[in-house]
Amino acid sequence: DAGVIQSPRHEVTEMGQEVTLRCKPISGHNSLFWYRQTMMRGLELLIYFNNNVPIDDSGMPEDRFSAKMPNASFSTLKIQPSEPRDSAVYFCASGGDYSNSGNTIYFGEGSWLTVV
Amino acid sequence: AQSVAQPEDQVNVAEGNPLTVKCTYSVSGNPYLFWYVQYPNRGLQFLLKYITGDNLVKGSYGFEAEFNKSQTSFHLKKPSALVSDSALYFCAVRDIGDFNKFYFGSGTKLNVKP
């Protein structure tokens, strides 16, 4: 199995630009999560989906952030406009159906975002 | 409130010695507990989980964890540490009483010295 695939792995962009991060979950997984990791805040859950439907987006920092999951094999996290404080590692994770508490979630390698 | 606490930011151990990375939790329902490891510049990798049954859970790379309900703890252990075990370790709890949300601890940096 290829695991969770994220792109781009690294991105450097200028403040004010739009950033789109992409994620392909593990085939057959029903749930998908977006996390952000920084030294200051640790690992933060931004949003999660089950069966392509957003369940909880209360972790999304502000309106500049949006996430979509148009189908079972693809999700995007968009930041528009980007700001230097958005610099972080963004992880996508996927797992079995969210209703099954025993399901493990598996992480991608992350997208390392730097906004200058 | 639901939470996971990893009381030690860093744990230092000599190679060959046993290691313990501590985790305590607080949930409203039955806990489903997980340990993940993160190597530098990598994503989090699943190590092991406790769902039900035997309180001692065995996982990848020789790691195990002991669930203790009375102490609300889920400490990660390994009998003999390797230098290659040096990494960041995260404990997580999934709370079925809170819509199955995952809560991650702040992480513990394990340093294994030769």
Side-chain angles (χ1 to χ4, degrees), chain A residues 23-35:
Chain A
C23 176
K24 178 178 169 55
I26 293 171
S27 178
H29 280 182
N30 297 79
S31 59
L32 183 139
F33 305 77
W34 282 101
Y35 284 88

Side-chain angles (χ1 to χ4, degrees), chain A residues 56 98 101-103 105 109, chain B residues 36 42 49 94 96 99-100:
Chain A
D56 188 340
Y98 195 72
S101 304
N103 280 330
I105 62 172
E109 292 294 320
Chain B
Y36 287 81
R42 301 294 302 277
K49 67 181 176 182
R94 195 165 201 182
I96 62 173
F99 305 103
N100 274 339

Side-chain angles (χ1 to χ4, degrees), chain A residues 9 31 33 35 37 42-43 45 48 56 58 91 96-110 112, chain B residues 32 34 36 38 40-46 48-49 51 88 90 94-96 98-106:
Chain A
R9 287 297 315 277
S31 59
F33 305 77
Y35 284 88
Q37 186 179 36
L43 202 59
L45 175 62
Y48 59 94
D56 188 340
S58 59
F91 288 106
D97 195 274
Y98 195 72
S99 61
N100 185 336
S101 304
N103 280 330
T104 303
I105 62 172
Y106 298 90
F107 285 75
E109 292 294 320
W112 302 70
Chain B
Y32 291 74
F34 302 77
Y36 287 81
Q38 185 179 28
N41 303 319
R42 301 294 302 277
L44 279 71
Q45 297 178 29
F46 168 70
L48 52 79
K49 67 181 176 182
I51 304 300
L88 189 57
F90 289 94
R94 195 165 201 182
D95 186 0
I96 62 173
D98 186 19
F99 305 103
N100 274 339
K101 283 186 179 178
F102 267 96
Y103 292 92
F104 279 86
S106 54

Side-chain angles (χ1 to χ4, degrees), chain B residues 27-103:
Chain B
V27 296
S28 56
N30 289 328
Y32 291 74
L33 297 153
F34 302 77
W35 275 102
Y36 287 81
V37 60
Q38 185 179 28
Y39 297 100
N41 303 319
R42 301 294 302 277
L44 279 71
Q45 297 178 29
F46 168 70
L47 275 180
L48 52 79
K49 67 181 176 182
Y50 170 83
I51 304 300
T52 187
D54 196 345
N55 290 342
L56 186 64
V57 179
K58 294 188 183 298
S60 307
Y61 312 122
F63 283 94
E64 57 190 28
E66 186 170 11
F67 171 65
N68 187 316
K69 188 172 183 178
S70 62
Q71 296 185 4
T72 61
S73 67
F74 189 56
H75 300 332
L76 182 69
K77 300 181 180 184
K78 188 174 182 181
S80 178
L82 300 173
V83 172
S84 57
D85 293 331
S86 298
L88 189 57
Y89 290 81
F90 289 94
C91 181
V93 63
R94 195 165 201 182
D95 186 0
I96 62 173
D98 186 19
F99 305 103
N100 274 339
K101 283 186 179 178
F102 267 96
Y103 292 92

Side-chain angles (χ1 to χ4, degrees), chain A residues 34-36 41 44-47 57-67 77-79 83 85-86 88 90:
Chain A
W34 282 101
Y35 284 88
R36 177 171 69 177
R41 293 174 175 266
E44 300 174 276
L45 175 62
L46 301 178
I47 185 171
D57 64 355
S58 59
M60 295 286 263
E62 48 199 274
D63 291 345
R64 297 185 297 107
F65 285 69
S66 62
L77 178 67
K78 187 174 293 187
I79 308 172
E83 296 182 3
R85 60 194 168 118
D86 301 331
Y90 291 82

